[in-house]
Amino acid sequence: MRQCAVLICVVAIVVGVAEGGLLDWFRSDKNKGHDVCRVNFEVLDPHGLRMWTSQKPQMKGFGVELVINPVRGRKQQLCNVCRNTTEVTHGKFFLQDENVIVKSGDILEYVIITDNGKTVQRHKPRKLVVEDYLIKPKERCACPVSDVTSTATPARQVVDDPMAEIALLERILERVSEKCAEGAMSSFLFLQTDRVDGAPVDDLKQIVRAYFEKKDALKPLLDTILTAEDASDGIVFRVKSIIDKLKILEIARQDGDIIDFDKLTAIDDMDIRASFDEAS
C-alpha cells in the first residue's frame, strides 16, 4: 500500500512539473538553433541560382532541397538544387548553383534544413513563384537594400510615403494590363504558414487576419479578406477584388509568405477554388 502511495506521489510530481513547463524547457533544448530567417533568392541570367539567409543564434549549418516546378501527386521529385553549408559570410549562409536554369514564372518548392551542431531539422515545404524582379545578370550580387542600409523597405514606405503609394498603384495597373493579356485572373491568394495541419476551418480566416495585423502595410487591407480554406502547407484565401489582390502581392513581395494562387494552380493542375462559396 505504501508503494502505491509513493507511486501516486511520483506521478503527481511529474504531472505538476509538466504543467509547470519544466519538461518543455528540457525538450526545447534540442530545438535551439533551428530558427531560420527568410530565405532570399536570386535567379542568375542565363543560368544559376543564389540563396542566402541570415544566421540565427546557435545555427551551425544551413541547407536546402529545391525542386523546380514540382509535379503534383508525385512522391519522388527530382531535387534540382540540393546543397548545404556551414560557412558564414558577413553573418549569412550563402548557397549557389551555377548550372541550374530557372525562368520567370517557374515555381520553386524548397525544404529548408538547419543544423544546430547536435540535431538536423527539416522544415515544412515552401513555394516561391519566380518573378522578373528576382532575375539578375550573372556575376552581380543584388542584395536587398534592407540588408545593406537602414533605408525603409517598400512595405514601410507605403505606410509613410504617399508617393510610394502612387508608385505602388502604377505598378498594379501595369500588372493588371499584363494579366488581362494573359487571360482570366482570380482574386485568390496563398498564405504559406507553419500552422499545425488540421486546424479548425473556422480559424483559418482568423489566421490570415492575424498575419495581416502584424504587418503595418497590410493592416488597411484586413477587410478585403472574404474566405479562407485549408491547403497543403498553407491557406488559400479570397479577397474582394483583383486590385486588392495585386496590392497585397506587391506589399508582401519581400516577405515571400503570400503568393499568387493562380500561378500555383497553373503548375499543379489543381483548382481548389471550386469549393469556395462565390456568393459569400
Side-chain angles (χ1 to χ4, degrees):
M1 188 69 177
R2 181 178 296 176
Q3 291 177 338
C4 181
V6 171
L7 179 60
I8 292 174
C9 182
V10 170
V11 171
I13 291 173
V14 171
V15 171
V17 168
E19 290 181 349
L22 188 57
L23 289 182
D24 289 336
W25 184 85
F26 282 111
R27 290 193 197 100
S28 64
D29 185 61
K30 69 179 181 180
N31 293 321
K32 291 178 180 178
H34 289 301
D35 291 334
V36 65
C37 293
R38 178 170 63 95
V39 179
N40 297 277
F41 287 82
E42 282 185 356
V43 175
L44 305 179
D45 184 26
H47 51 77
L49 181 66
R50 181 187 294 127
M51 297 156 279
W52 73 91
T53 188
S54 297
Q55 183 187 26
K56 295 282 279 186
Q58 301 186 48
M59 186 191 296
K60 306 299 183 184
F62 168 74
V64 67
E65 294 178 0
L66 182 145
V67 177
I68 301 172
N69 296 331
V71 179
R72 179 173 175 259
R74 181 181 296 175
K75 292 183 178 180
Q76 297 294 329
Q77 303 276 356
L78 175 64
C79 184
N80 298 108
V81 179
C82 291
R83 292 183 177 271
N84 61 79
T85 184
T86 57
E87 182 179 350
V88 179
T89 305
H90 302 303
K92 297 178 177 66
F93 291 104
F94 283 86
L95 296 173
Q96 184 162 331
D97 187 298
E98 296 286 351
N99 300 313
V100 67
I101 297 176
V102 180
K103 305 179 298 299
S104 178
D106 284 348
I107 292 180
L108 309 182
E109 182 174 284
Y110 60 99
V111 173
I112 297 169
I113 302 170
T114 53
D115 183 355
N116 65 1
K118 298 179 181 178
T119 59
V120 175
Q121 180 173 313
R122 293 172 57 84
H123 297 254
K124 292 186 68 173
R126 295 182 68 83
K127 292 183 177 69
L128 174 72
V129 179
V130 177
E131 298 192 42
D132 291 340
Y133 76 95
L134 289 173
I135 301 176
K136 315 293 180 185
K138 202 167 184 181
E139 307 302 336
R140 189 191 78 188
C141 179
C143 300
V145 172
S146 58
D147 280 359
V148 294
T149 73
S150 59
T151 303
T153 64
R156 182 72 253 172
Q157 289 173 350
V158 169
V159 178
D160 297 337
D161 183 2
M163 295 305 296
E165 175 77 9
I166 293 173
L168 172 64
L169 292 175
E170 288 176 346
R171 291 197 301 273
I172 289 173
L173 291 174
E174 183 179 354
R175 292 188 66 181
V176 167
S177 64
E178 292 173 354
K179 291 295 181 183
C180 288
E182 294 174 4
M185 181 180 183
S186 81
S187 57
F188 289 89
L189 291 163
F190 181 77
L191 171 63
Q192 302 187 97
T193 174
D194 291 331
R195 68 181 181 83
V196 177
D197 291 332
V201 174
D202 292 344
D203 294 339
L204 297 180
K205 185 176 177 181
Q206 185 54 41
I207 292 173
V208 179
R209 288 182 60 86
Y211 180 87
F212 275 52
E213 287 172 352
K214 294 178 182 177
K215 310 286 184 179
D216 289 340
L218 288 176
K219 274 185 180 180
L221 295 164
L222 268 169
D223 292 338
T224 68
I225 303 169
L226 297 179
T227 56
E229 186 160 316
D230 203 3
S232 175
D233 302 318
I235 300 170
V236 179
F237 65 99
R238 182 164 63 92
V239 294
K240 288 182 179 179
S241 69
I242 292 175
I243 296 297
D244 290 330
K245 169 179 177 172
L246 292 175
K247 189 170 185 178
I248 291 167
L249 284 172
E250 284 286 341
I251 293 173
R253 173 182 285 187
Q254 283 198 330
D255 290 332
D257 293 328
I258 297 177
I259 50 183
D260 188 350
F261 184 66
D262 293 348
K263 291 188 176 181
L264 294 180
T265 57
I267 296 294
D268 292 343
D269 192 26
M270 170 183 66
D271 196 348
I272 196 171
R273 289 168 289 179
S275 61
F276 279 83
D277 180 9
E278 290 291 338
S280 60

